Amino acid sequence: TSDLQSLNPSGERMAQYGVATAATKLDCVQIDGLVVLKIMKHCRDEMISNQLVSGQLLGMDITFASTTTLEVTSCFPMPHTGEDENAEDTDVYVTEMLRCMREVNVDNNTVGWYQSTFMNSWLEADSPTIATQYQFQDSVPKSVCLVYDPVRTQSGNVYLKAYRLTDKFMVKYKHHLENGQHGFTEADLKPKYRDDYSGKILEEGISTDEIFEEVPIRIHNSALVSAMLYDWVCEGTMGANMDCDFERLDLSSRPFLDKSMELLVDGVELLRQDQDRAEFKKRDAERKRRDYKRNSRGEEASREELQRLFPDPSRLEGLLIAHQVERYCDDIAKFAGQSFSKLYLVKGMQDGTNN
């Protein structure tokens, strides 16, 4: 984090969070069409057993004219890790897969990972998304996480998103790990101002919008694949049978909205419970600090020492729950807007038919 620091007006070192450096800046993710099909097939095959799957992405990052593009050219699935399996077996599997990729002259540089999700389940507080992506970005700064939702894809639009942890969250999360899981307190969520009543912010608090950043995705196909698709759609014998575009006109929106509202209500309840737990732990820590200060003999303990002995509770779980609730609201608003557009289109077609 040394390259994310600068001097404040008083001459002290301060952290400048959210500054994209040359080592972390990423403008676009270019994915081969075959990689997209592999991810979709892997997730679809495991839908029967209701298993959320994951895998690793292979490729390289290319910088041209101050634009950095991450090219994802291959991928492979990760096995399901049970309770009786350890991390060493997974490491051996990954090493062997990378060796096999190298032997067949395929890109074997790890550039991230992908995972399937069900209605934003990848944002849950107990999900390994944050820890896994932090490890990837800590070792490979330009790595990404691809999130694929097979349920939403059935409505006609492929739901495939690329996300990265922001630089601001990376610094905060590293501080959180170094302090024994006691980071992301209320002091970290609120902005810090100067003491000269100027109103200038020395350090901005982190919000739900500053956890993940979405990276634009571009699907790339070779010339032969593009020619084959063109022949299928326009001139080939399969063109008459390819009616998948009609799925976009599906008017059934109630199942998605019902499930989204149910998860939204559950998320709000989880957020309320987390706030109650945090308030209780905060009052308990304050009581312990007062009792320790009252019962101590000799030299009085400093405020920093008391804060270290009895730290405030971490609000990371509540921050993630609030971010998930925000995503549910955004998805409901977006899906409702698309549904209204379809209904107005169908109404116009019916009126034109009747006239």
Side-chain angles (χ1 to χ4, degrees), residues 316-351:
L316 177 60
E317 183 176 354
L319 186 68
L320 297 178
I321 296 175
H323 182 59
Q324 188 179 29
V325 170
E326 184 181 12
R327 287 295 181 91
Y328 285 140
C329 296
D330 294 340
D331 291 342
I332 291 174
K334 182 178 180 179
F335 189 81
Q338 294 176 352
S339 299
F340 275 117
S341 300
K342 294 178 183 178
L343 292 176
Y344 280 119
L345 175 61
V346 173
K347 183 178 182 299
M349 294 174 61
Q350 290 180 346
D351 293 341

Side-chain angles (χ1 to χ4, degrees), residues 111-123:
V111 295
W113 62 299
Y114 70 87
Q115 62 173 330
S116 62
T117 183
F118 173 72
M119 305 290 289
N120 289 325
S121 61
W122 66 284
L123 292 173

Side-chain angles (χ1 to χ4, degrees), residues 187-247:
D188 297 324
L189 305 182
K190 298 178 181 179
K192 298 179 179 60
Y193 298 92
R194 290 184 57 179
D195 297 332
D196 55 0
Y197 302 101
S198 63
K200 187 174 182 179
I201 299 178
L202 289 179
E203 180 182 330
E204 296 182 355
I206 191 168
S207 63
T208 56
D209 297 332
E210 297 170 321
I211 301 178
F212 289 97
E213 59 179 356
E214 184 176 354
V215 184
I217 292 180
R218 181 172 66 242
I219 307 297
H220 173 264
N221 290 318
S222 63
L224 291 177
V225 173
S226 300
M228 182 186 65
L229 294 177
Y230 179 80
D231 180 70
W232 276 10
V233 174
C234 299
E235 300 177 0
T237 58
M238 298 184 62
N241 298 326
M242 297 183 64
D243 56 352
C244 58
D245 286 342
F246 289 103
E247 296 177 356

Side-chain angles (χ1 to χ4, degrees), residues 39 113-118 120 122 129 145-149 159-163 217:
I39 295 175
W113 62 299
Y114 70 87
Q115 62 173 330
S116 62
T117 183
F118 173 72
N120 289 325
W122 66 284
T129 303
C145 173
L146 293 182
V147 180
Y148 174 72
D149 192 338
Y159 187 90
L160 183 65
K161 304 288 186 179
Y163 294 100
I217 292 180

Side-chain angles (χ1 to χ4, degrees), residues 82-338:
E83 297 180 356
D84 55 343
E85 298 182 4
N86 51 27
E88 295 181 358
D89 297 335
T90 304
D91 295 339
V92 172
Y93 170 79
V94 173
T95 304
E96 288 297 321
M97 287 296 298
L98 294 178
R99 183 184 62 82
C100 294
M101 293 290 184
R102 183 171 59 254
E103 290 180 354
V104 296
N105 198 22
V106 176
D107 289 336
N108 55 6
N109 302 317
T110 302
V111 295
W113 62 299
Y114 70 87
Q115 62 173 330
S116 62
T117 183
F118 173 72
M119 305 290 289
N120 289 325
S121 61
W122 66 284
L123 292 173
E124 294 179 354
D126 56 351
S127 173
T129 303
I130 296 291
T132 304
Q133 183 60 25
Y134 174 81
Q135 294 176 0
F136 270 98
Q137 284 189 224
D138 187 51
S139 57
V140 185
K142 293 186 177 68
S143 60
V144 297
C145 173
L146 293 182
V147 180
Y148 174 72
D149 192 338
V151 177
R152 297 192 194 182
T153 303
Q154 293 178 355
S155 63
N157 296 321
V158 177
Y159 187 90
L160 183 65
K161 304 288 186 179
Y163 294 100
R164 302 179 71 251
L165 294 176
T166 61
D167 292 340
K168 183 176 182 179
F169 187 85
M170 288 286 293
V171 175
K172 291 284 188 180
Y173 192 78
K174 182 178 181 180
H175 177 74
H176 172 72
L177 297 178
E178 292 176 350
N179 291 334
Q181 307 290 333
H182 291 298
F184 293 97
T185 60
E186 289 187 359
D188 297 324
L189 305 182
K190 298 178 181 179
K192 298 179 179 60
Y193 298 92
R194 290 184 57 179
D195 297 332
D196 55 0
Y197 302 101
S198 63
K200 187 174 182 179
I201 299 178
L202 289 179
E203 180 182 330
E204 296 182 355
I206 191 168
S207 63
T208 56
D209 297 332
E210 297 170 321
I211 301 178
F212 289 97
E213 59 179 356
E214 184 176 354
V215 184
I217 292 180
R218 181 172 66 242
I219 307 297
H220 173 264
N221 290 318
S222 63
L224 291 177
V225 173
S226 300
M228 182 186 65
L229 294 177
Y230 179 80
D231 180 70
W232 276 10
V233 174
C234 299
E235 300 177 0
T237 58
M238 298 184 62
N241 298 326
M242 297 183 64
D243 56 352
C244 58
D245 286 342
F246 289 103
E247 296 177 356
R248 301 173 183 266
L249 300 178
D250 186 13
L251 301 178
S252 60
S253 59
R254 181 174 177 179
F256 178 83
L257 293 178
D258 288 348
K259 190 61 178 179
S260 298
M261 290 300 299
E262 179 182 349
L263 295 175
L264 176 61
V265 173
D266 293 341
V268 173
E269 178 62 22
L270 290 176
L271 184 60
R272 184 194 64 81
Q273 295 176 3
D274 179 79
Q275 291 177 346
D276 293 342
R277 288 194 300 267
E279 289 295 331
F280 174 79
K281 293 180 180 179
K282 181 180 179 180
R283 291 193 299 266
D284 184 65
E286 292 176 352
R287 178 184 59 80
K288 290 180 178 179
R289 286 194 288 263
R290 289 194 302 267
D291 295 343
Y292 182 85
K293 184 177 181 180
R294 188 184 304 113
N295 297 332
S296 60
R297 297 291 185 267
E299 185 178 355
E300 184 176 352
S302 62
R303 181 177 180 182
E304 291 76 11
E305 184 179 358
L306 292 174
Q307 190 70 26
R308 180 180 57 83
L309 294 175
F310 310 104
D312 290 333
S314 175
R315 301 305 304 273
L316 177 60
E317 183 176 354
L319 186 68
L320 297 178
I321 296 175
H323 182 59
Q324 188 179 29
V325 170
E326 184 181 12
R327 287 295 181 91
Y328 285 140
C329 296
D330 294 340
D331 291 342
I332 291 174
K334 182 178 180 179
F335 189 81
Q338 294 176 352

